Amino acid sequence: MSLTVNGLSKKYGEKTVVDNLSFEIKEPGVYALLGTNGAGKTTSIRMILGMLASNSGEVLWKGEPLDAVKCNVGYLAEERGLYPKYTLMDQLVYFARLRGVSKSDALDRIKYWSDRFEVNEYIYPEKNAKGKKIPMKKPEQLSKGNQQKIQLISALLSDPELLILDEPLSGLDPVNTDLFKSVIYEQIEKKKYLIMSSHQMPTIEEFCTDITILNKSKTVLQGNLNEIKKSYGRVNLFVKCESDIKALIKECGITLVNQKESEYVLKVTGEEQANNLLSKMIEKKIMIIRFELREPSLHEIFVEKVGGDSEEK
């Protein structure tokens, strides 16, 4: 079982918004689709789901063209899209039924996820002191975070094999961020296939094995995240010590990126240059609190590849 995206392209008139996007998810796990605003991420997701027609290319699920009507796919859109005039319960049952879930199963699953996301008060009517039901809040009265919970519940009700999450943690407080992460981890443990689009690079590093970075509709970097990092080498050096070492840094020909009190962020050419600095610090008996040589972060790689480019979606 796998997802294959082959040569997807989309144009609006003479403007190309997605240019020959290809990638494959061969095994369960999380695949990251990254890019600046307007790079083509959301358009790509909509073409994968069949919500938007492509000008060329194909999307295969289990070797057959992906049909979101027939395939068990869950989708959390970046934009909130709850119907304002209908109760949350009615909407969730409706969305579940669209995915082929029986009403009884839908009700059981809604209760499970409602408990899990702590949104019972918005889905199940409460009664006042006189025993009358309190009017339910309308969807637009919910906070952005609670609307996000409801829409993730909707995406999970069919127990999808393929789950697509567009900015799933955007706007969440730390408590709800951890809650969403725990649910994502559960989906990974259940051997689901996930595509995640996010601007939060630490989240991508936490969950994703393989990535595609888009810039101005084109793929500028793609592959296994660990292998990509290794290809850059260990060139970022962080030093915390109890002495001023700017003279030693200059003597070793090392680039000082940033300094804050006794902490130094440095750029080196490799381990030899870093070890040279370490030797000089030891020779001068400087108290070293932390000396860490590491590969670049995904944030640093992303900035290098796309710079400050940004366009309309």
Side-chain angles (χ1 to χ4, degrees), residues 47-114:
M47 287 192 291
I48 290 170
L49 289 169
M51 299 167 60
L52 189 64
S54 64
N55 292 103
S56 61
E58 62 179 357
V59 180
L60 303 178
W61 175 245
K62 303 179 184 179
E64 300 291 335
L66 190 153
D67 184 343
V69 175
K70 299 177 181 178
C71 299
N72 194 356
V73 181
Y75 176 42
L76 174 65
E78 180 180 6
E79 303 86 1
R80 304 299 154 242
L82 298 173
Y83 296 109
K85 295 184 180 180
Y86 297 91
T87 68
L88 296 174
M89 174 62 81
D90 286 345
Q91 293 188 55
L92 290 172
V93 171
Y94 173 71
F95 292 139
R97 298 290 290 126
L98 284 178
R99 305 306 304 167
V101 181
S102 70
K103 186 173 181 179
S104 60
D105 284 345
L107 292 173
D108 288 342
R109 294 177 187 183
I110 291 169
K111 186 63 175 71
Y112 170 80
W113 288 115
S114 179

Side-chain angles (χ1 to χ4, degrees), residues 228-239 253-257 264-274 292-297 300-301 304:
I228 289 171
K229 284 185 172 185
K230 286 180 182 178
S231 70
Y232 278 80
R234 295 183 177 181
V235 294
N236 294 334
L237 178 61
F238 178 86
V239 179
I254 295 173
T255 301
L256 175 61
V257 177
Y264 299 84
V265 179
L266 310 171
K267 182 73 72 175
V268 298
T269 57
E271 292 186 12
E272 183 177 347
Q273 199 175 44
E292 179 185 4
L293 184 62
R294 62 173 178 82
E295 299 161 347
S297 67
E300 292 164 326
I301 295 171
E304 176 192 305

Side-chain angles (χ1 to χ4, degrees), residues 20-250:
N20 196 36
L21 172 65
S22 297
F23 65 88
E24 186 173 11
I25 310 177
K26 295 182 179 180
E27 298 178 349
V30 187
Y31 194 101
L33 196 58
L34 309 175
T36 56
N37 293 330
K41 306 184 301 298
T42 299
T43 299
S44 298
I45 288 172
R46 289 172 177 170
M47 287 192 291
I48 290 170
L49 289 169
M51 299 167 60
L52 189 64
S54 64
N55 292 103
S56 61
E58 62 179 357
V59 180
L60 303 178
W61 175 245
K62 303 179 184 179
E64 300 291 335
L66 190 153
D67 184 343
V69 175
K70 299 177 181 178
C71 299
N72 194 356
V73 181
Y75 176 42
L76 174 65
E78 180 180 6
E79 303 86 1
R80 304 299 154 242
L82 298 173
Y83 296 109
K85 295 184 180 180
Y86 297 91
T87 68
L88 296 174
M89 174 62 81
D90 286 345
Q91 293 188 55
L92 290 172
V93 171
Y94 173 71
F95 292 139
R97 298 290 290 126
L98 284 178
R99 305 306 304 167
V101 181
S102 70
K103 186 173 181 179
S104 60
D105 284 345
L107 292 173
D108 288 342
R109 294 177 187 183
I110 291 169
K111 186 63 175 71
Y112 170 80
W113 288 115
S114 179
D115 289 338
R116 183 70 186 280
F117 283 106
E118 301 178 351
V119 289
N120 281 321
E121 63 181 296
Y122 307 119
I123 296 176
Y124 298 96
E126 296 181 351
K127 294 182 179 181
N128 60 20
K130 295 182 179 180
K132 293 184 178 181
K133 288 185 179 180
I134 299 174
M136 297 295 294
K137 286 187 177 181
K138 295 181 179 180
E140 66 264 26
Q141 293 177 296
L142 272 61
S143 68
K144 181 181 178 182
N146 283 323
Q147 289 188 46
Q148 209 156 334
K149 289 180 180 181
I150 298 298
Q151 292 201 195
L152 182 53
I153 290 173
S154 175
L156 293 168
L157 286 177
S158 66
D159 193 21
E161 297 174 293
L162 173 63
L163 182 61
I164 300 178
L165 307 174
D166 196 354
E167 296 292 348
L169 307 181
S170 175
L172 296 178
D173 60 50
V175 173
N176 283 314
T177 294
D178 286 345
L179 176 57
F180 269 54
K181 285 184 176 181
S182 70
V183 172
I184 294 171
Y185 274 121
E186 284 182 6
Q187 299 304 303
I188 295 171
E189 290 175 1
K190 289 181 177 180
K191 304 298 182 183
K192 302 298 181 66
Y193 289 72
L194 292 89
I195 297 176
M196 183 184 295
S197 176
S198 176
H199 287 116
Q200 300 179 19
M201 297 299 146
T203 299
I204 295 299
E205 290 197 81
E206 181 177 350
F207 286 110
C208 301
T209 303
D210 298 285
I211 66 170
T212 289
I213 297 179
L214 300 174
N215 186 35
K216 294 183 178 180
S217 78
K218 296 181 180 295
T219 298
V220 294
L221 186 65
Q222 187 174 81
N224 179 272
L225 181 55
N226 286 333
E227 294 301 321
I228 289 171
K229 284 185 172 185
K230 286 180 182 178
S231 70
Y232 278 80
R234 295 183 177 181
V235 294
N236 294 334
L237 178 61
F238 178 86
V239 179
K240 185 174 183 179
C241 58
E242 295 185 350
S243 302
D244 187 332
I245 60 169
K246 288 196 291 295
L248 291 180
I249 292 170
K250 185 175 181 180

Side-chain angles (χ1 to χ4, degrees), residues 1 17 88 280 288:
M1 186 161 61
V17 293
L88 296 174
K280 291 181 182 296
I288 301 171

Side-chain angles (χ1 to χ4, degrees), residues 247-263:
L248 291 180
I249 292 170
K250 185 175 181 180
E251 182 181 334
C252 293
I254 295 173
T255 301
L256 175 61
V257 177
N258 189 28
Q259 178 189 356
K260 180 182 178 182
E261 298 180 349
S262 60
E263 299 178 352

